[in-house]
Amino acid sequence: MSGNRAQEPILRLVDVTKRFGGLTAVNKVNLDIYEGDLHFLIGPNGAGKSTVFKTIVGYHKPDSGQVIYKGQDISNMEPYLRARLGFSIKFQTPSVYPDLTVGQNMTVALNRRRSGITNPEQEIADRLHMVGLHGVEDMLASRISHGQRQWLEIALALAVDVEILLLDEPNAGMTPDETFRTADIIRELNRRGMTIIVIAHDMEFVRALEPEITVLHLGKVFTEGRLSEIERNKEVQQIYLGKK
Ligand code: ADP
Ligand code: MG
């Protein structure tokens, strides 16, 4: 879904550059996200997608360029302060505690929130319901399916007060059915007004949601548009096939 373009972008990356030693992982990336957007970041492995996410939430500070939230330069703001602004991320690497139950994992995540928790059981039940995990609260996280664990990751990210949700490969390792279910979850969250940015690898996931797309390649914005335009782009096909 496209957000409200009549307003200023809620999030703006301006020439964001991040280097690791001699490697420029993110190279002058510009990105405008509007309130209510559903935006996908795609591109081959090593394109810099996860690094862009980490500069948005503050795990990396850009070497140059700015991260702007509602007109404010937050490039050097600490991650916990950005979390208070409403940034919430599901990283590419798992963050679920396998030896805790689904409900206990949620309690840990909920405890990160600063205030406004009046009925924790209800809040946890609501979040689990949003991702289709109601009824498995008492199961050990190690015992639920891979797909369910990925949905739990999303529920954990939803435990805080979210304004901008960032999901790094939420359908990694999923079956096609689970991927469609994940698309349904994301569509519903976006329909409720949440601004969502998703990193994805496969086009089937993108197809299920028809979002705005930014293609990254070698740390740079390669092209932007809707899926129909992206798919017709021969150069995009080539970078996905590793020919460039
Ligand atoms: P993507 O998520 O698109 O696969 P990444 O953002 O993870 O790409 O990585 C982009 C490039 O930066 C890769 O070459 C990767 O090896 C490198 N890189 C990512 N994180 C680090 C790090 N913490 N230290 C050194 N190099 C890194
Ligand atoms: Mg990545």
Side-chain angles (χ1 to χ4, degrees):
M1 199 171 90
S2 281
N4 185 355
R5 268 155 182 68
Q7 296 172 349
E8 282 288 291
I10 186 170
L11 174 69
R12 171 165 258 182
L13 302 193
V14 184
D15 287 337
V16 165
T17 296
K18 176 67 196 167
R19 297 189 193 89
F20 298 111
L23 173 82
T24 305
V26 175
N27 194 352
K28 293 194 171 175
V29 164
N30 289 282
L31 186 66
D32 282 349
I33 303 291
Y34 292 83
E35 199 164 357
D37 268 355
L38 174 56
H39 200 108
F40 269 56
L41 215 51
I42 68 171
N45 265 330
K49 305 181 295 296
S50 296
T51 305
V52 166
F53 263 26
K54 287 173 188 169
T55 62
I56 292 173
V57 295
Y59 282 76
H60 293 318
K61 309 291 186 290
D63 291 297
S64 59
Q66 288 100 39
V67 180
I68 311 282
Y69 169 76
K70 293 186 175 171
Q72 180 191 1
D73 187 341
I74 60 164
S75 310
N76 292 306
M77 188 185 273
E78 291 304 319
Y80 77 97
L81 292 172
R82 296 193 210 197
R84 282 186 200 167
L85 293 177
F87 286 92
S88 187
I89 184 165
K90 180 208 97 63
F91 288 104
Q92 194 172 349
T93 46
S95 66
V96 163
Y97 296 107
D99 297 333
L100 298 184
T101 67
V102 168
Q104 287 167 338
N105 268 281
M106 288 300 292
T107 301
V108 171
L110 204 63
N111 283 336
R112 295 206 188 101
R113 206 160 89 196
R114 284 199 312 156
S115 60
I117 309 166
T118 48
N119 187 344
E121 286 81 21
Q122 189 60 48
E123 299 235 10
I124 288 172
D126 287 349
R127 297 322 190 274
L128 290 177
H129 194 83
M130 283 180 201
V131 302
L133 284 182
H134 43 291
V136 298
E137 263 118 313
D138 296 330
M139 278 180 73
L140 280 181
S142 58
R143 302 299 293 272
I144 59 178
S145 70
H146 171 77
Q148 287 177 315
R149 245 185 333 269
Q150 289 280 52
W151 297 328
L152 177 55
E153 294 274 359
I154 297 176
L156 295 174
L158 294 173
V160 292
D161 294 314
V162 185
E163 187 156 8
I164 303 182
L165 180 66
L166 298 109
L167 301 172
D168 194 341
E169 301 204 14
N171 71 323
M174 283 187 168
T175 64
D177 270 2
E178 288 169 336
T179 291
F180 286 127
R181 175 78 192 106
T182 306
D184 287 342
I185 292 166
I186 291 170
R187 187 184 304 107
E188 178 58 20
L189 292 172
N190 180 241
R191 200 189 58 76
R192 293 186 190 192
M194 197 176 283
T195 306
I196 307 180
I197 317 176
V198 184
I199 292 176
H201 206 70
D202 58 309
M203 290 291 188
E204 293 317 308
F205 188 33
V206 182
R207 202 181 311 283
L209 284 162
E210 280 292 315
E212 309 269 331
I213 300 168
T214 297
V215 183
L216 276 192
H217 180 45
L218 301 174
K220 289 188 172 167
V221 174
F222 193 73
T223 185
E224 291 172 296
R226 292 281 175 168
L227 184 65
S228 52
E229 304 160 56
I230 302 285
E231 277 188 319
R232 267 187 270 118
N233 186 326
K234 291 271 187 303
E235 290 186 322
V236 172
Q237 295 170 16
Q238 282 171 345
I239 63 168
Y240 262 91
L241 295 169
K243 287 185 187 161
K244 271 191 107 158

